[in-house]
Amino acid sequence: MPTVVVMDVSLSMTRPVSVEGSEEYQRKHLAAHGLTMLFEHMATNYKLEFTALVVFSSLWELMVPFTRDYNTLQEALSNMDDYDKTCLESALVGVCNIVQQEWGGAIPCQVVLVTDGCLGIGRGSLRHSLATHNQRSENNRFPLPFPFPSKLYIMCMANLEELQSTDSLDCLERLIDLNNGEGQIFTIDGPLCLKNVQSMFGKLIDLAYTPFHAVLKCGHLTADVQVFPRPEPFVVDEEIDPIPKVINTDLEIVGFIDIADISSPPVLSRHLVLPIALNKEGDEVGTGITDDNEDENSANQIAGKIPNFCVLLHGSLKVEGMVAIVQLGPEWYGMLYSQADSKKKSNLMMSLFEPGPEPLPWLGKMAQLGPISDAKENPYGEDDNKSPFPLQPKNKRSYAQNVTVWIKPSGLQTDVQKILRNARKLPEKTQTFYKELNRLRKAALAFGFLDLLKGVADMLERECTLLPDTAHPDAAFQLTHAAQQLKLASTSTSEYAAYDHNITPLQTDFSGSSTERM
Amino acid sequence: MKIFSESHKTVFVVDHCPYMAESCRQHVEFDMLVKNRTQGIIPLAPISKSLWTCSVESSMEYCRIMYDIFPFKKLVNFIVSDSGAHVLNSWTQEDQNLQELMAALAAVGPPNPRADPECCSILHGLVAAVETLCKITEYQHEARTLLMENAERVGNRGRIICITNAKSDSHVRMLEDCVQETIHEHNKVAANSDHLMQIQRCELVLIHTYPVGEDSLVSDRPKKELSPVLTSEVHSVRAGRHLATKLNILVQQHFDLASTTITNIPMKEEQHANTSANYDVELLHHKDAHVDFLKSGDTHLGGSSREGPFKETITLKWCTPRTNNIELHYCTGAYRISPVDVNSRPSSCLTNFLLNDPRYKIDGSLEIPLERAKDQLEKHTRYWPMIISQTTIFNMQAVVPLASVIVKESLTEEDVLNCQKTIYNLVDMERKNDPLPISTVGTRGKGPKRDEQYRIMWNELETLVRAHINNSEKHQRVLECLMACRSKPPEEEERKKRGRKREDKEDKSEKAVKDYEQEKSWQDSERLKGILERGKEELAETEIIKDSPDSPEPPNKKPLVEVDETPPVEKSKGPVSLLSLWSNRINTANSRKHQEFAGRLNSVNNRAELYQHLKEENGMETTENGKASRQ
């Protein structure tokens, strides 16, 4: 998940902080200190992630575009000048543009706003923005909620008492509300000093930047992995099931399936699965990803020489063209697969399905998937030339069952013409003729459209009179029979009018079966 | 959408009173003149549908779209009303399909125009609708059971769609009052019942329909809250296609649907088989499918669709898929669809193209299949060397018949026989002194001698079989056979035969194998495919053999060197190459003869920073080309 750090560089950030017995600090120094800590944490644990730095006052500027180079970000922190007043709205608009340009609207993004809680004055101040929030048109929409999945973390270089003395805190809370509640406000506990800033950023790291470690298991084979980015909790149904579901730290592979069978399923999110080496204390030593960096952790090199299940799994999935189904929790599944980055490089990735017993209807219930050896005969055929998937639904959808819809006249006309066409090719088309006739009969009975049955009966009788001399004698018999049956269905309440009754061809001396009798 | 929103339960109440038998006064030509046959024939007179037929086919279309897009958890209860209420189906999932409803409607038949209008009323149906809304659905029941003490979180909301022919606005008001009153009464009853639920919210959608060309006696009214429980809206609609259009709009509103038109789909012309024309097909689906489009600002809006019932449709261009494409694509959502015009030729061509695979279903056994799958994974991974050079047996074609069956839960007599044959075959190979694919990577010289190779192989095979002896008595028999047949020269004899160092090393590898067994950290090696037993074993076998980088070494070659003086190999460092042994020795010898460079002593990873003093003196970095040092 990319991060945008939005740093307030208005004059109020230069307000001094009295720290006993040391040189004078300004709030911006405290902010830079906290951000340094965040960047250092990310450089260690989130080195694949992109971060951008935006500074703002009445204007905003993208200081560092999205990068993985935390040194650049760190340097930018020490090169910030002081500007005029705070103007939050335009900065948030800037964030929208930057994120949408780089990532579009589907990639979740974290926004870390660092400010002192002075929200500006006059036009462009947050108070002004909020006051005019209801009077906006589509053109000057307020930037929140962000037009991409987001978390807005507001890091205040002020303590709670200070913020509560004005309406600052209320305004900032409004901001989180406007972002659909996605985000949180952090304030400094106690006096403003380096230590308390550290503890505030520590809380942010705990909340939003702790790496997700898990154990990938396949029978007796296991590997310690980091799942990146961290899978976020998921709420299934806010009314019935309001508790967010969190994925297990034991990721158990339950089986394997062909890519063609799972066929690009919809997923909630996708993640890199990186093997990690854990030393005996259980601390992370380093990720196993290849890196040309010369200073690479020696533990990584050792880890690179130990056979790892992730490598085996990734290679096998790639070669076989399969994915592994992994259990994420009770009635929650995902898949592990090889994703090509480029022609040469590919990664082991995990995608999460929507929680539930049957996330992919074409596979049926996940718990009902089992080993091939349990099936009486191989569902893939002896030559691997078929597949049991996709499963046929118990009730076919309307487009798969030849339903009758006569809402448009053309629908009705097509069905009548089909009967007429086949009527003219009797007796060759006897089967199709009766099939279409029965379809029309059933629909007419269900819709209570008895006039149609009479009309088609009249039509068939007329056809009978129009038969050419060359016509097969059976044709006349079948037409008369069919017309009679339709009339019976339209008028009487006898068995001939029953919905389930089918008109069957008249047995004549000319028809095939009678020849057999002779 | 919440599971138990108003859309969970829809009750259709369709008027079956005598006046519904009246014509809608919209004619349908059904006797279309076909070419070449027009001479002298007068087409049959057009017919028209009754109000009843229009109502029924429009509500069936509503249900068709709903069932296509929500095959589960969205339920319909169909009621027709005349001198009483006829409830045509129940809330159960089995009753939720078009065939059931069509059959039930056919049984009811069209209204009898000669029935006594005084006895007939839509009210019977409305009362029955409220009653049925109080009935619990299987989904509500399941959710309540699951939530236990939080059962009250399960909502009971519903919608009544009533199609009737009302006399006036005050008649409509009377119907609303009746529903309101009935809800009040039934909620009292439901409060004291375990299998009924109180109605929390009910949306009443009253549709007044009348023949085309007549004046409506009822006015439209937007949704209005009649009580905290009941909202009501009134639609006054001409019968015929106007009614169908209205219900089509309603199903989209009620189920949050949106429209997408797939354009430029090439299809063969019926008349000219070798040409193809392009068609468009309009589909309905949940509107979430459009969320990302709308967010991206690129709305692909095609404006109004031709038929006009929908405000807007998003157009997508057809892209013929490559048939042999089995890549995994990133997909953020998959949505069920329903064609707007289901039996038009373009629609059915498209859906048939998409549905063309043959399918069937696997039977489920009593045990949960997924648990059986996990169980199988456990068995298959008990012994699974991770890298090819760590294993001998999985590089040997000759072992495959045993390795492929020993992992099974139970063995047949034939399996046991095959395992025994495999073992005899290996004994035979040993007697003939056949080479084995033992890895020489990371070992000194040529690796172990032939008899040692066999010992390693037998040990590994024993590890594999032992890992499964608890599966069944037959597995036990395979082990017994193995133990009886395998070569195990007495330890003492071995010692004499071989050099000391060599034995140390070998014991270590033997111990390693034993460790696997003890810690039960069985390792891998027969490819992952084996887990699902794709019946492709033959292919797998050839791959195993082919994949081995280690071809067996040529026979009768002695190791080139035997180094006695080498220091004992440290466990953690693993095997040491001859080169490194040699260089270490030379280095140690040489190091005694000179004093080490200061730079090398202080180096980090064999790199020492030069001219460090300059940095301290100048307080700045040294210049790049080193000139600074000369100043």
Side-chain angles (χ1 to χ4, degrees), chain A residues 45 211-215 224-225 276-286:
Chain A
N45 298 289
F212 185 85
H213 289 172
V215 182
D224 293 305
V225 295
I276 47 172
L278 295 176
N279 67 21
K280 279 182 187 144
E281 288 79 51
D283 294 334
E284 187 190 347
V285 176

Side-chain angles (χ1 to χ4, degrees), chain A residues 220 256 312 374 398 462, chain B residues 31 49 68 372 378 524 532:
Chain A
H220 293 277
F256 301 83
L312 173 72
D374 276 10
S398 70
R462 183 196 64 198
Chain B
D31 188 20
K49 298 170 185 171
D68 272 356
R372 302 255 316 127
E378 188 275 323
D524 92 342
L532 274 184

Side-chain angles (χ1 to χ4, degrees), chain A residues 290-304:
Chain A
T290 45
D291 200 326
D292 301 323
N293 200 332
E294 288 177 52
D295 305 327
E296 190 53 75
N297 200 329
S298 63
N300 263 357
Q301 290 173 359
I302 294 168

Side-chain angles (χ1 to χ4, degrees), chain A residues 125-157:
Chain A
S125 72
L126 185 58
R127 278 180 203 88
H128 181 261
S129 295
L130 294 175
T132 58
H133 183 259
N134 291 331
Q135 307 147 25
R136 287 165 188 262
S137 65
E138 225 5 73
N139 299 333
N140 65 343
R141 195 187 83 94
F142 192 68
L144 296 181
F146 285 121
F148 46 85
S150 67
K151 298 271 185 199
L152 174 61
Y153 299 113
I154 305 180
M155 313 303 292
C156 295
M157 294 301 131

Side-chain angles (χ1 to χ4, degrees), chain B residues 507-627:
Chain B
D507 277 354
K508 218 175 282 161
S509 71
E510 198 173 335
K511 185 172 166 288
V513 174
K514 290 249 166 68
D515 279 350
Y516 282 131
E517 200 180 327
Q518 280 157 12
E519 294 170 23
K520 295 227 172 203
S521 76
W522 320 109
Q523 309 255 326
D524 92 342
S525 175
E526 199 197 57
R527 322 206 116 227
L528 274 167
K529 164 196 290 175
I531 294 165
L532 274 184
E533 286 296 324
R534 294 289 310 271
K536 289 186 197 163
E537 262 153 25
E538 284 201 3
L539 185 67
E541 281 164 27
T542 53
E543 273 174 16
I544 289 167
I545 310 303
K546 194 177 63 203
D547 280 354
S548 166
D550 317 301
S551 50
E553 49 185 284
N556 301 326
K557 266 199 174 180
K558 285 177 187 167
L560 281 175
V561 260
E562 288 256 319
V563 190
D564 273 342
E565 278 185 20
T566 47
V569 180
E570 280 176 33
K571 275 187 184 175
S572 59
K573 285 186 180 161
V576 177
S577 72
L578 181 60
L579 174 67
S580 59
L581 282 175
W582 180 253
S583 339
N584 277 344
R585 215 178 103 173
I586 297 294
N587 288 345
T588 327
N590 287 348
S591 67
R592 288 192 208 110
K593 294 173 190 164
H594 69 84
Q595 200 183 342
E596 186 58 288
F597 291 119
R600 191 175 288 158
L601 277 175
N602 298 330
S603 69
V604 178
N605 287 339
N606 261 338
R607 279 160 189 267
E609 196 176 341
L610 296 178
Y611 315 114
Q612 283 173 324
H613 64 286
L614 283 177
K615 216 200 275 181
E616 287 151 25
E617 283 165 22
N618 299 346
M620 58 190 282
E621 302 258 346
T622 51
T623 54
E624 281 169 6
N625 56 13
K627 275 178 188 168

Side-chain angles (χ1 to χ4, degrees), chain B residues 109-120:
Chain B
N112 178 4
R114 287 173 297 277
D116 179 6
E118 293 305 311
C119 305
C120 295

Side-chain angles (χ1 to χ4, degrees), chain A residues 296-498:
Chain A
E296 190 53 75
N297 200 329
S298 63
N300 263 357
Q301 290 173 359
I302 294 168
K305 283 177 185 151
I306 300 168
N308 192 299
F309 171 59
C310 287
V311 179
L312 173 72
L313 178 67
H314 175 239
S316 310
L317 294 176
K318 196 170 162 180
V319 169
E320 297 294 334
M322 296 181 99
V323 306
I325 303 289
V326 59
Q327 182 139 26
L328 308 171
E331 297 204 326
W332 197 5
Y333 301 89
M335 63 171 176
L336 289 157
Y337 54 98
S338 166
Q339 171 85 52
D341 225 9
S342 58
K343 270 190 182 155
K344 283 185 183 162
K345 201 166 159 281
S346 56
N347 301 300
L348 182 63
M349 292 196 73
M350 179 168 79
S351 288
L352 315 188
F353 303 145
E354 209 160 292
E358 197 180 345
L360 312 176
W362 56 93
L363 298 186
K365 287 206 166 57
M366 286 304 220
Q368 288 298 318
L369 295 174
I372 287 176
S373 55
D374 276 10
K376 277 192 213 88
E377 57 184 277
N378 189 339
Y380 286 88
E382 290 314 312
D383 308 322
D384 198 19
N385 55 0
K386 54 181 184 177
S387 163
F389 306 110
L391 292 185
Q392 187 77 270
K394 208 169 139 207
N395 284 315
K396 285 183 180 175
R397 309 288 162 252
S398 70
Y399 42 82
Q401 61 181 3
N402 200 8
V403 293
T404 312
V405 179
W406 290 333
I407 285 171
K408 287 188 195 168
S410 61
L412 178 61
Q413 285 154 1
T414 312
D415 285 347
V416 173
Q417 277 182 35
K418 259 187 225 163
I419 292 172
L420 208 52
R421 254 203 322 274
N422 287 299
R424 285 166 189 172
K425 288 176 189 162
L426 286 172
E428 291 83 32
K429 293 281 184 182
T430 305
Q431 291 307 318
T432 337
F433 171 74
Y434 281 100
K435 198 185 124 205
E436 291 299 331
L437 195 71
N438 280 312
R439 191 164 81 88
L440 176 125
R441 178 187 173 279
K442 274 196 157 63
L445 287 175
F447 296 150
F449 197 5
L450 304 184
D451 284 354
L452 180 69
L453 295 178
K454 287 179 205 133
V456 173
D458 289 346
M459 201 177 70
L460 293 178
E461 280 173 350
R462 183 196 64 198
E463 283 305 309
C464 196
T465 64
L466 293 174
L467 283 171
D469 300 340
T470 52
H472 193 285
D474 198 26
F477 283 104
Q478 298 298 349
L479 287 174
T480 316
H481 168 68
Q484 210 174 10
Q485 289 282 315
L486 285 184
K487 283 196 172 153
L488 275 175
S490 74
T491 51
S492 78
T493 47
S494 69
E495 53 179 305
Y496 298 106

